[in-house]
Amino acid sequence: MPLTPPVVGFDLDMTLIDSRPGIGAVYDALAAETGVAIDTALVTSRLGPPLSVELANWFPAERVPAMVDRYRGLYASLAIGPSAALPGAVSALEAVHSHGGSTVVVTSKIARSAWLHVEHLGLAVDDLVGDVYAAAKGPALAERGAVVYVGDHTADIAAARAAGTVSVAVATGPFPADALRRAGADVVLDDLRAFPTWFADFSRPREPRGPRGS
């Protein structure tokens, strides 16, 4: 464990918050406006990749940029209120602060929308980086000196690897625990309720080991 105060990164959707009801409401509105049939349950079962990737499943390529803009225009009014903090999210953030650390959310959601969720739910987030996905999250984590990155997606494991941080995966998103282990997570938790105990052990000062036999 580093001697400096730890920086811990968290993904947002399905790691800290259950955004499925809100995101579903936005997709329902898009479907109603455009007449395009969108399987909202399918969409919300696989949250993680960038918005444009999901929209490309429902709209031709030439319409995707306009749909991204419209989705984001609807987001603040439809998606924030229905979304909730996941079990253990508040205590996980508090656990980092109780050990003198700081928290940063690094998410594929644009920062403006992500901050709306954080502020609405009163989550103790110190910093936030948006619009990055998978290994592209690595530089943001590395620049902030993150020692842990917590996420629910295999892409979050790739992010931790790219940043050189410990990958903590929670089985609250689209992947079960076994799939997260196979993807290379260092630690797999059922949900964030287990994080404070794990982090307390991770943060415990340890004596450096001397030469073997000393």
Side-chain angles (χ1 to χ4, degrees):
M1 178 69 193
L3 296 177
T4 55
V7 177
V8 177
F10 291 86
D11 178 49
L12 185 64
D13 294 309
M14 301 315 299
T15 299
L16 288 172
I17 69 170
D18 184 352
S19 51
R20 291 173 297 183
I23 288 173
V26 179
Y27 274 96
D28 284 341
L30 275 182
E33 285 187 5
T34 63
V36 172
I38 299 175
D39 186 341
T40 301
L42 178 60
V43 170
T44 56
S45 74
R46 59 189 185 194
L47 300 181
L51 173 61
S52 58
V53 173
E54 181 58 54
L55 286 168
N57 292 312
W58 310 103
F59 296 94
E62 65 273 14
R63 294 190 68 189
V64 168
M67 291 300 100
V68 167
D69 289 344
R70 184 56 182 148
Y71 176 99
R72 289 174 175 166
L74 293 166
Y75 198 90
S77 61
L78 296 178
I80 305 304
S83 300
L86 280 165
V90 171
S91 60
L93 296 167
E94 289 175 348
V96 177
H97 289 134
S98 73
H99 288 276
S102 62
T103 59
V104 55
V105 165
V106 183
T107 174
S108 64
K109 193 184 299 298
I110 60 170
R112 179 177 70 251
S113 296
W115 273 122
L116 288 174
H117 282 295
V118 167
E119 292 166 357
H120 177 74
L121 295 171
L123 299 177
V125 171
D126 301 305
D127 192 9
L128 188 148
V129 180
D131 204 19
V132 284
Y133 178 63
K137 294 181 176 182
L141 291 164
E143 287 165 9
R144 288 159 176 79
V147 295
V148 174
Y149 185 59
V150 187
D152 66 286
H153 201 285
T154 55
D156 297 323
I157 299 170
R161 290 284 169 268
T165 71
V166 173
S167 170
V168 175
V170 286
T172 46
F175 294 95
D178 285 348
L180 295 167
R181 290 188 187 95
R182 289 194 299 270
D186 297 306
V187 178
V188 178
L189 307 174
D190 289 338
D191 58 40
L192 286 175
R193 287 176 289 191
F195 181 84
T197 299
W198 174 82
F199 190 69
D201 181 67
F202 174 79
S203 303
R204 189 174 67 249
R206 291 171 173 83
E207 292 294 331
R209 293 180 179 178
R212 190 182 297 264
S214 61

